[in-house]
């Protein structure tokens, strides 16, 4: 399973993911991704760890049908269209 992380998280978190057998891809740029770049970078990923600046809307969710789970790094997930994700069978979580 491949996971895209849209921010540079602590190494401990990356280690946990790789020890669980996940292939980890990290967006290391200071600027957040545009919707187009986020869609492009998420292709081939089954998991996404995003932040509140990432807009997870219908366009994104429908363009990434291989996603199985997405998680918000931080409390809440107001930027994620949870009902649409649920409709598409994508699990939504957060990691406060």
């Amino acid at each position: 399973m491949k996971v895209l992380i849209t921010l540079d998280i602590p190494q401990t978190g990356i280690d946990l993911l790789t020890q669980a057998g996940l292939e980890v891809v990290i967006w290391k740029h200071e600027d957040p991704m545009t919707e187009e770049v986020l869609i492009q970078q998420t292709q081939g990923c089954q998991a996404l760890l995003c932040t509140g600046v990432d807009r997870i809307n219908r366009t994104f969710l429908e363009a990434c049908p291989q996603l199985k789970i997405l998680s918000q790094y931080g409390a809440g997930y107001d930027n994620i269209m949870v009902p649409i994700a649920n409709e598409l069978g994508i699990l939504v979580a957060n990691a406060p």
Side-chain angles (χ1 to χ4, degrees):
M1 184 181 274
K2 185 175 176 183
V3 59
L4 172 65
I5 302 174
T6 67
L7 73 157
D8 196 12
I9 66 171
Q11 187 62 44
T12 303
I14 296 166
D15 292 344
L16 287 170
L17 294 169
T18 56
Q19 288 169 7
L22 298 175
E23 177 185 347
V24 177
V25 177
I26 304 168
W27 178 258
K28 294 204 178 220
H29 303 279
E30 287 186 28
D31 294 332
M33 290 182 251
T34 64
E35 181 178 64
E36 181 179 300
V37 171
L38 182 59
I39 289 170
Q40 179 186 34
Q41 293 294 311
T42 306
Q43 297 306 303
C45 295
Q46 293 76 34
L48 173 69
L49 179 58
C50 61
T51 68
V53 300
D54 300 309
R55 297 291 162 231
I56 309 302
N57 57 27
R58 179 178 290 279
T59 301
F60 170 81
L61 292 167
E62 289 180 347
C64 301
Q66 75 288 346
L67 271 180
K68 303 294 181 215
I69 186 169
L70 58 93
S71 185
Q72 174 83 357
Y73 185 78
Y77 34 81
D78 292 343
N79 59 308
I80 300 171
M81 293 185 138
V82 176
I84 296 168
N86 290 336
E87 174 187 316
L88 297 171
I90 302 169
L91 298 173
V92 178
N94 71 332

